[in-house]
């Protein structure tokens, strides 16, 4: 029995030179592994960071985003709640975001400084106008979580 | 704190001297439906082999090659995994061994580093480095999402899916700490687009004013469209050889005195402070007053430790004492105006906090002490990512060989790409340059290479 030609044809965008359109429809499976607890924590309005559990580790810093293993000694880390009030370290309002951005253009992106945390967590400001040193508090998307970093946002404290 | 152990700051060494003999480019366009990627790479290789006054014919050259290095940033863009195998075949180099290098925006620099390592060790003696990127298969918005896949997908990419925004966060903080006038940043965009105006290869040339740049639409504040690099399709080729082979190939070999790499966290957020790593032209006293005396709060959010590390190693490897004095031409990775100012400081053109003086003093201009991005850079000429670091070194090579006019001034070069040489074209050939440098840069500073070439 003869095999049929494909039923789905690629659209011709230009004839000379020839350009066709290849469709792609599929999803990626994103495994958080040892960092999953952070996103589960957001659902419970918790900001979970990690600290090295090795008593001999010289640094023992509080990491947020969390790390499952310590970058200084490779020992396992333990989960610690980070403060939910911090200050804006830097900010930029993104007028032209990329294709996959799920928030509205004009969303202020912020980096938040939290006491005791060794990083400047990148996030977004849900309400208000951003300014350097502005005090902000964490808010959480618990109603219909995306289970991404977008479930955490900040508002003026 | 980042603490260096005795092995961490070892100055790299080539066991054999490494030479650069020839370079080739395509022109760079937003869309290039007329030519597929294999053709673009062939075109750049043909220019390198056939138009660089080599002493051997193409057939003989092919028989001299013994290793190839390929340079492409994102399989996402080309939609062809193992593209290097296909290009290697179309270039006629099978069954020679080859590798494809990937370090984001610094891919081109890293690819040349890998080729240099092959030559320096004696593994190979004639190596073409072929770089390309095909960024016209998706819309600009999707392209920006693809590029933002080179941010941390777990904790950052979702925040904008836009690299310009990640640089804008750094820019805002840099400005908060250093208060550089936006006019100074705009001058970089004006300068590089003007340099691009004299290049037949350029995608986004133009005679703009500072006011044009400042009034331009904002992508992510404070960066305007005119302050951001282009997204390109195109290829670039650089040919490396050992000393004996180099002299068989050309009367004008240029020595690659050093090429070194540094790195830092993919997330800017995770950068821990440390005391400033000093370059040969800096001392403890240089930073006595820096950042209100808080010299240990470095690199913070607005300096690239990867660039400082690469420059530290390369300067010490090549015996550079003062980059502004010792270099005659420089190509920086001007992806954004702000990152260019940051880089001036990281590579020691000015101390930290004073990078803007490199522009305001006039040093960076064609008539200045260290003409920078005479090629037009990433803002004016091209950013076909995998080709970029290779393109920079091709332009530096031609400057050192005195071939700027040959490749940029011949009216036939312009007609080749369907363009007309401007009536007010001006030569940007630097006056008898001896030494040039190129900085290749990835992410928000995740990988940086520093290459130094010198005329024997």
């Amino acid at each position: 029995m003869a095999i049929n030609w494909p039923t789905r044809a690629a659209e011709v965008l230009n004839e000379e030179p020839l350009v066709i359109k290849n469709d792609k429809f599929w999803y990626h499976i994103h495994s958080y592994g040892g960092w999953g607890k952070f996103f589960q924590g957001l659902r419970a309005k918790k900001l979970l960071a990690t600290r090295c559990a090795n008593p001999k580790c010289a640094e023992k810093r509080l990491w947020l985003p969390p790390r499952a293993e310590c970058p200084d000694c490779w020992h396992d880390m333990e989960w610690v709640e980070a403060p939910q009030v911090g200050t804006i370290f830097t900010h930029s309002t993104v007028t032209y975001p990329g294709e996959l951005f799920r928030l509205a253009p004009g969303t202020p992106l912020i980096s938040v400084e939290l006491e005791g945390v060794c990083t400047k967590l990148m996030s977004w400001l849900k309400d208000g106008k951003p300014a350097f040193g502005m005090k902000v508090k964490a808010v959480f998307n618990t109603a219909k979580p995306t289970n991404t970093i977008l479930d955490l946002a900040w508002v003026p404290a | 704190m980042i603490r260096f152990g005795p092995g961490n700051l070892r100055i790299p060494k080539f066991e054999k001297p490494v030479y650069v003999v020839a370079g080739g480019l395509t022109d760079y366009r937003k869309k290039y439906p007329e030519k597929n990627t294999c053709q673009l790479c062939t075109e750049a290789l043909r220019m390198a082999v056939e138009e660089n006054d080599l002493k051997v014919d193409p057939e003989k050259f092919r028989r001299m090659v013994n290793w190839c290095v390929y340079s492409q940033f994102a399989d996402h863009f080309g939609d062809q995994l193992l593209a290097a195998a296909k290009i290697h075949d179309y270039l006629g180099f099978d069954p020679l061994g080859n590798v494809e290098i990937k370090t984001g925006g610094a891919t081109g620099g890293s690819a040349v580093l890998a080729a240099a390592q092959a030559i320096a060790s004696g593994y190979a003696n004639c190596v073409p480095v072929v770089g390309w990127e095909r960024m016209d298969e998706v819309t600009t918005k999707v392209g920006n999402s693809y590029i933002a896949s080179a941010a941390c997908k777990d904790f950052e990419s979702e925040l904008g899916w836009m690299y310009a925004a990640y640089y804008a966060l750094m820019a805002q903080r840099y400005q908060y700490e250093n208060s550089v006038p936006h006019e100074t940043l705009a001058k970089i965009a004006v300068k590089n687009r003007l340099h691009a105006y004299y290049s037949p290869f350029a995608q986004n040339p133009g005679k703009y004013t500072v006011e044009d740049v400042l009034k331009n639409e904002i992508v992510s504040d404070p960066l305007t469209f005119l302050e951001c690099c282009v997204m390109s399709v195109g290829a670039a080729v650089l040919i490396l050889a050992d000393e004996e082979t180099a002299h068989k190939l050309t009367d004008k070999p240029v020595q690659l005195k050093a090429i070194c790499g540094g790195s830092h966290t993919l997330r800017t957020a995770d950068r821990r402070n440390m005391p400033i790593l000093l370059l040969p032209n800096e001392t403890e006293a240089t930073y006595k007053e820096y950042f209100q005396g808080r010299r240990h709060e470095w690199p913070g959010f607005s300096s690239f430790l990867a660039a400082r590390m690469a420059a530290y190693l390369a300067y010490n490897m090549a015996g550079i004492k003062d980059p502004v004095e010792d270099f005659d031409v420089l190509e920086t990775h001007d992806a954004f105006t702000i990152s260019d100012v940051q880089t001036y400081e990281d590579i020691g053109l000015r101390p930290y906090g004073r990078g803007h003086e490199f522009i305001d003093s006039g040093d960076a201009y064609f008539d200045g002490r260290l003409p920078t991005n005479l090629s037009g850079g990433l803002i004016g000429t091209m950013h076909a990512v995998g080709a970029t670091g290779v393109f920079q070194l091709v332009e530096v090579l031609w400057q050192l060989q005195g071939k700027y006019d040959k490749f940029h001034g011949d009216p036939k070069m312009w007609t080749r790409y369907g363009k007309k040489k401007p009536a007010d074209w001006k030569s940007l050939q630097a006056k008898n340059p001896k030494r040039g440098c190129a900085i290749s840069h990835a992410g928000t500073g995740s990988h940086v290479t520093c290459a130094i070439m010198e005329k024997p």
Side-chain angles (χ1 to χ4, degrees):
Chain A
M1 194 181 78
I3 293 168
N4 291 331
W5 296 105
T7 51
R8 202 153 50 86
E11 186 185 337
V12 172
L13 296 176
N14 194 61
E15 191 55 46
E16 206 57 62
L18 185 61
V19 179
I20 63 163
K21 187 173 174 181
N22 290 331
D23 293 330
K24 302 208 171 187
F25 308 101
W26 53 68
Y27 51 81
H28 268 243
I29 292 176
H30 188 157
S31 301
Y32 284 126
W35 307 330
K37 200 175 163 90
F38 169 81
F39 297 95
Q40 290 158 342
L42 296 181
R43 293 186 212 145
K45 299 190 177 187
K46 282 183 182 173
L47 196 49
L48 294 175
T50 57
R51 193 190 299 281
C52 183
N54 178 3
K56 288 184 196 155
C57 180
E59 296 277 344
K60 289 184 77 75
R61 290 179 183 233
L62 193 57
W63 289 92
L64 184 67
R67 294 172 182 238
E69 296 85 20
C70 174
D72 295 307
C73 70
W74 306 329
H75 194 280
D76 289 348
M77 308 274 268
E78 52 195 16
W79 292 91
V80 181
E81 266 200 66
Q84 297 197 2
V85 175
T87 55
I88 292 182
F89 182 76
T90 188
H91 60 88
S92 174
T93 298
V94 55
T95 318
Y96 287 93
E99 178 73 21
L100 298 173
F101 192 46
R102 303 183 215 199
L103 303 172
T107 297
L109 301 183
I110 56 173
S111 297
V112 183
E113 199 165 19
L114 297 164
E115 206 182 329
V117 175
C118 73
T119 57
K120 315 277 189 294
L121 183 68
M122 195 193 286
S123 191
W124 58 288
L125 189 68
K126 197 168 182 302
D127 197 8
K129 197 172 172 295
F132 286 93
M134 189 171 123
K135 218 170 161 193
V136 286
K137 67 172 184 202
V139 288
F140 302 89
N141 175 23
T142 52
K144 205 180 162 194
T146 64
N147 295 296
T148 70
I149 193 68
L150 296 181
D151 290 345
L152 169 68
W154 302 77
V155 296
Chain B
M1 178 81 78
I2 293 174
R3 270 188 276 266
F4 293 115
N8 301 143
L9 291 177
R10 174 189 172 273
I11 305 306
K13 192 171 100 178
F14 290 158
E15 290 295 333
K16 291 173 72 178
V18 177
Y19 286 82
V20 181
V21 297
L25 307 176
T26 63
D27 64 331
Y28 300 98
R29 304 183 188 187
K30 174 85 176 164
K31 291 173 191 285
Y32 220 142
E34 297 84 359
K35 288 170 191 169
N36 63 52
T37 308
C38 292
Q39 291 180 286
L40 290 165
C41 291
T42 309
E43 187 175 309
L45 180 67
R46 284 183 60 179
M47 182 188 281
V49 177
E50 297 174 5
E51 298 181 60
N52 277 259
D53 315 305
L54 294 189
K55 296 192 280 189
V56 301
D57 63 32
E59 180 51 29
K60 191 157 181 214
F61 173 80
R62 284 154 70 105
R63 290 168 197 278
M64 291 170 75
V65 173
N66 34 49
W67 180 247
C68 297
V69 178
Y70 294 97
S71 173
Q72 184 199 207
F73 157 57
D75 290 328
H76 291 48
F77 274 109
D79 199 23
Q80 169 69 68
L81 269 73
L82 217 45
K86 196 163 151 187
I87 288 164
H88 192 64
D89 163 20
Y90 276 75
L91 296 180
F93 286 131
D94 281 318
L96 303 177
N98 69 78
V99 286
E100 185 177 340
I101 300 290
K102 278 184 165 41
T103 60
T107 294
S110 298
V112 175
L113 172 55
Q117 288 167 338
I119 302 281
S121 66
Y123 182 89
N125 67 10
C126 184
V127 181
V129 181
V130 181
W132 73 91
E133 207 75 43
R134 166 141 232 130
M135 305 177 85
D136 65 351
E137 291 203 0
V138 291
T139 63
T140 303
K141 268 189 100 169
V142 173
N144 277 316
S145 269
Y146 279 177
I147 294 167
S149 304
C152 168
K153 76 168 189 176
D154 298 284
F155 299 105
E156 279 191 354
S157 299
E158 286 281 351
L159 295 157
W161 285 104
M162 183 69 183
Y163 243 89
Y166 310 142
Y167 271 88
L169 286 168
M170 273 193 285
Q172 295 277 61
R173 183 67 198 183
Y174 182 92
Q175 291 292 48
Y176 177 71
E177 290 170 5
N178 299 293
S179 313
V180 174
H182 201 168
E183 285 75 11
T184 300
L185 297 180
K187 280 189 209 169
I188 298 169
V190 171
K191 170 177 75 72
N192 295 353
R193 281 203 161 73
L194 178 64
H195 292 166
Y197 180 80
Y198 304 117
S199 170
F201 308 109
Q203 181 180 327
N204 228 341
K207 291 186 164 180
Y208 292 92
T209 64
V210 165
E211 197 169 75
D212 292 334
V213 177
L214 295 178
K215 283 190 175 161
N216 194 236
E217 212 177 341
I218 285 173
V219 182
S220 191
D221 69 324
L223 296 171
T224 66
F225 275 95
L226 286 169
E227 289 180 88
C228 301
C229 58
V230 293
M231 211 185 268
S232 314
V233 183
V237 167
L238 191 72
I239 298 168
L240 277 70
D242 69 2
E243 190 163 12
E244 192 190 341
T245 313
H247 286 285
K248 273 186 205 159
L249 284 167
T250 177
D251 292 326
K252 288 187 172 181
V254 166
Q255 192 176 353
L256 183 62
K257 292 286 283 188
I259 179 163
C260 302
S263 70
H264 211 187
T265 61
L266 183 59
R267 291 192 301 261
T268 327
D270 291 40
R271 294 185 180 166
R272 290 186 280 177
N273 291 337
M274 59 179 282
I276 298 173
L277 179 65
L278 298 173
L279 294 180
N281 59 329
E282 297 174 338
T283 65
E284 296 280 335
T286 312
Y287 293 111
K288 221 174 125 207
E289 305 295 325
Y290 171 67
F291 202 35
Q292 292 98 48
R294 289 180 284 162
R295 189 186 148 226
H296 290 251
E297 292 189 24
W298 178 85
F301 218 70
S302 44
S303 298
F304 300 120
L305 172 56
R308 174 54 60 122
M309 184 79 178
Y312 173 88
L313 297 174
Y315 290 2
N316 282 295
M317 186 177 173
I320 301 302
K321 297 289 174 225
D322 179 345
V324 177
E325 285 304 314
D326 296 349
F327 297 144
D328 303 302
V329 287
L330 169 68
E331 290 288 325
T332 59
H333 185 98
D334 55 327
F336 304 98
T337 51
I338 184 67
S339 57
D340 221 38
V341 174
Q342 292 168 266
T343 301
Y344 302 156
E345 300 174 358
D346 298 316
I347 64 170
L349 308 181
R350 288 293 187 280
Y352 283 109
R354 289 170 50 192
H356 62 97
E357 292 174 20
F358 183 62
I359 291 295
D360 290 331
S361 65
D363 280 2
Y365 287 81
F366 177 61
D367 296 320
R369 289 162 76 209
L370 179 51
T372 298
N373 290 357
L374 295 174
S375 69
L378 284 65
I379 284 180
T381 292
M382 65 83 84
H383 194 18
V385 185
T388 303
V390 182
F391 155 84
Q392 294 176 310
L393 286 167
V394 171
E395 291 275 2
V396 172
L397 170 74
W398 288 342
Q399 282 285 351
L400 297 180
Q401 291 180 320
K403 290 182 179 172
Y404 177 89
D405 290 6
K406 174 185 159 93
F407 288 103
H408 302 82
D410 183 347
K412 287 198 198 101
M413 287 300 302
W414 293 80
T415 49
R416 183 185 293 187
Y417 304 125
K419 299 173 184 176
K420 194 169 176 297
K421 185 180 167 185
D424 56 349
W425 183 85
K426 178 180 138 181
S427 170
L428 296 182
Q429 173 63 55
K431 285 156 203 75
N432 196 25
K434 183 170 167 54
R435 206 177 285 112
C437 175
I439 305 296
S440 191
H441 174 116
T444 51
S446 69
H447 301 70
V448 176
T449 64
C450 174
I452 299 168
M453 294 205 287
E454 188 177 302
K455 217 156 48 180

